[in-house]
Amino acid sequence: MSSEARSALVLQGGGALGAYEFGAVRRLYEEPGFAPDLIAGVSIGAITAALLARPAKGLTPIQALSRFWEAVTVSGWFLPPPLRAYASAFGNPRFFTPRTDLFNLASWTNLYDTTPLRRTLAELVDLEALADPEVRPGLLVSATDVAAGEITYFRGRDGGMGLDHILASGSLPPSFPMTWIGEKAYWDGGLFDNTPLGPVLDDLAPDGGERIVYVLNLFPNAAPIPATLAEVSERTLNLQFANRTREDLALMRRFDQVAALVDRLEALGDANPLADTAEFKALLDRRYVRAPQVVEITRPEQAGAFDGMDFSPAGIMARADEGYAQADAALKRRASPRPTRAKAA
């Protein structure tokens, strides 16, 4: 089966902010025929991607994702209402729990244990399908190789995946432990790149039909200039995890003319004077393709320092509703016919 994709969904990481993605994909999957060929994600986006691409038997993608958010909601009933957004600092029973081995404190490299997340995902993800490289849609998640200091992309087609790959993508230090896969230790992929658009573009099919990529952004690029130290901290956080979609597409569009030139030369057939040169063959091997259509759905507000830990019912509901509404608006903009310029009299 070909691994080339014509449509893809790309999901950022951001902890509890992932509820925004839940709302957005709920709206996307309401579209007739919406079925991305490839789903890619980082951190909470990797969890979302796994639930959408490999839901447990008997569950639809949206049902699996909905049950996940129901499971990881923390009511905070033991706190006054204004403080319930901070309840997960004491742990999230279906996601992460505080470490209690205080005698080993000097050797700690993380604050929470993510064993509960593994159990939750084992209930909601089809592990057999996750391990099968032939199952579609394609699945791609990223993690950071701690020792090498490099980003690693795990593709389901390359021998399948296990829950370790999903947990590795979300192993954000110092909160969560690094995840070992074989002899390598991994941290959160968002430390390097919180929007895995680059490898998705690499996996797209060549030109010859519509190719579209939906990118869900949890951290906006643009924001007011900070005026206080607290605002500086918030702005720094958002810039660290903001997407680099424009840079990826700008680089790809630089190669649009190269792709067009290769097409022109190939069309010459036997009359192509460069057909037998090593340089032309190298260009063919690189498979330069034109940039696809990209639909971005982005949270407009900057994330606060603790927003990624707000698993309260109110916080999750508000972000899910926001994601749904903004995805709906993005789809309507895409469906609207472009205005035509009136002819001069």
mmCIF file of all heavy atoms in Angstrom, residues 164-165 179-186:
data_model
loop_
_atom_site.group_PDB
_atom_site.id
_atom_site.type_symbol
_atom_site.label_atom_id
_atom_site.label_comp_id
_atom_site.label_asym_id
_atom_site.label_seq_id
_atom_site.Cartn_x
_atom_site.Cartn_y
_atom_site.Cartn_z
ATOM 1 N N ASP A 164 4.840 3.146 24.009
ATOM 2 C CA ASP A 164 6.074 3.861 24.358
ATOM 3 C C ASP A 164 6.319 5.028 23.414
ATOM 4 O O ASP A 164 6.807 6.083 23.831
ATOM 5 C CB ASP A 164 7.277 2.915 24.323
ATOM 6 C CG ASP A 164 7.353 2.029 25.555
ATOM 7 O OD1 ASP A 164 6.697 2.359 26.565
ATOM 8 O OD2 ASP A 164 8.061 1.011 25.504
ATOM 9 N N HIS A 165 6.022 4.852 22.135
ATOM 10 C CA HIS A 165 6.248 5.924 21.167
ATOM 11 C C HIS A 165 5.340 7.123 21.457
ATOM 12 O O HIS A 165 5.759 8.271 21.318
ATOM 13 C CB HIS A 165 6.004 5.420 19.745
ATOM 14 C CG HIS A 165 6.941 4.335 19.321
ATOM 15 N ND1 HIS A 165 6.662 3.004 19.543
ATOM 16 C CD2 HIS A 165 8.155 4.377 18.710
ATOM 17 C CE1 HIS A 165 7.660 2.271 19.069
ATOM 18 N NE2 HIS A 165 8.583 3.084 18.558
ATOM 19 N N THR A 179 11.171 8.642 28.385
ATOM 20 C CA THR A 179 10.693 7.314 27.995
ATOM 21 C C THR A 179 11.781 6.594 27.213
ATOM 22 O O THR A 179 12.327 7.151 26.256
ATOM 23 C CB THR A 179 9.420 7.425 27.139
ATOM 24 O OG1 THR A 179 8.391 8.075 27.895
ATOM 25 C CG2 THR A 179 8.920 6.050 26.705
ATOM 26 N N TRP A 180 12.077 5.374 27.619
ATOM 27 C CA TRP A 180 13.102 4.580 26.944
ATOM 28 C C TRP A 180 12.471 3.711 25.871
ATOM 29 O O TRP A 180 11.475 3.030 26.098
ATOM 30 C CB TRP A 180 13.842 3.695 27.947
ATOM 31 C CG TRP A 180 14.747 4.483 28.854
ATOM 32 C CD1 TRP A 180 14.408 5.147 29.989
ATOM 33 C CD2 TRP A 180 16.150 4.685 28.680
ATOM 34 N NE1 TRP A 180 15.501 5.760 30.538
ATOM 35 C CE2 TRP A 180 16.603 5.495 29.761
ATOM 36 C CE3 TRP A 180 17.083 4.261 27.734
ATOM 37 C CZ2 TRP A 180 17.925 5.887 29.900
ATOM 38 C CZ3 TRP A 180 18.408 4.642 27.872
ATOM 39 C CH2 TRP A 180 18.812 5.451 28.944
ATOM 40 N N ILE A 181 13.059 3.760 24.674
ATOM 41 C CA ILE A 181 12.689 2.867 23.577
ATOM 42 C C ILE A 181 13.978 2.208 23.122
ATOM 43 O O ILE A 181 14.863 2.873 22.579
ATOM 44 C CB ILE A 181 12.013 3.618 22.421
ATOM 45 C CG1 ILE A 181 10.732 4.310 22.914
ATOM 46 C CG2 ILE A 181 11.693 2.671 21.270
ATOM 47 C CD1 ILE A 181 10.038 5.140 21.856
ATOM 48 N N GLY A 182 14.110 0.931 23.396
ATOM 49 C CA GLY A 182 15.385 0.273 23.163
ATOM 50 C C GLY A 182 16.429 0.855 24.096
ATOM 51 O O GLY A 182 16.222 0.938 25.312
ATOM 52 N N GLU A 183 17.539 1.296 23.545
ATOM 53 C CA GLU A 183 18.629 1.850 24.344
ATOM 54 C C GLU A 183 18.642 3.373 24.335
ATOM 55 O O GLU A 183 19.609 3.985 24.793
ATOM 56 C CB GLU A 183 19.968 1.314 23.842
ATOM 57 C CG GLU A 183 20.094 -0.204 23.978
ATOM 58 C CD GLU A 183 21.442 -0.717 23.516
ATOM 59 O OE1 GLU A 183 22.220 0.092 22.960
ATOM 60 O OE2 GLU A 183 21.723 -1.919 23.707
ATOM 61 N N LYS A 184 17.582 4.000 23.827
ATOM 62 C CA LYS A 184 17.537 5.451 23.728
ATOM 63 C C LYS A 184 16.456 6.031 24.634
ATOM 64 O O LYS A 184 15.370 5.467 24.770
ATOM 65 C CB LYS A 184 17.302 5.897 22.285
ATOM 66 C CG LYS A 184 18.468 5.551 21.352
ATOM 67 C CD LYS A 184 18.259 6.133 19.972
ATOM 68 C CE LYS A 184 19.455 5.855 19.082
ATOM 69 N NZ LYS A 184 19.305 6.454 17.730
ATOM 70 N N ALA A 185 16.781 7.173 25.230
ATOM 71 C CA ALA A 185 15.838 7.877 26.099
ATOM 72 C C ALA A 185 15.279 9.081 25.352
ATOM 73 O O ALA A 185 16.016 9.793 24.659
ATOM 74 C CB ALA A 185 16.543 8.337 27.378
ATOM 75 N N TYR A 186 13.972 9.303 25.521
ATOM 76 C CA TYR A 186 13.309 10.370 24.778
ATOM 77 C C TYR A 186 12.540 11.303 25.701
ATOM 78 O O TYR A 186 11.972 10.879 26.709
ATOM 79 C CB TYR A 186 12.337 9.771 23.751
ATOM 80 C CG TYR A 186 13.021 9.015 22.644
ATOM 81 C CD1 TYR A 186 13.166 7.632 22.720
ATOM 82 C CD2 TYR A 186 13.527 9.676 21.532
ATOM 83 C CE1 TYR A 186 13.802 6.922 21.710
ATOM 84 C CE2 TYR A 186 14.160 8.973 20.518
ATOM 85 C CZ TYR A 186 14.295 7.603 20.609
ATOM 86 O OH TYR A 186 14.931 6.909 19.614
#
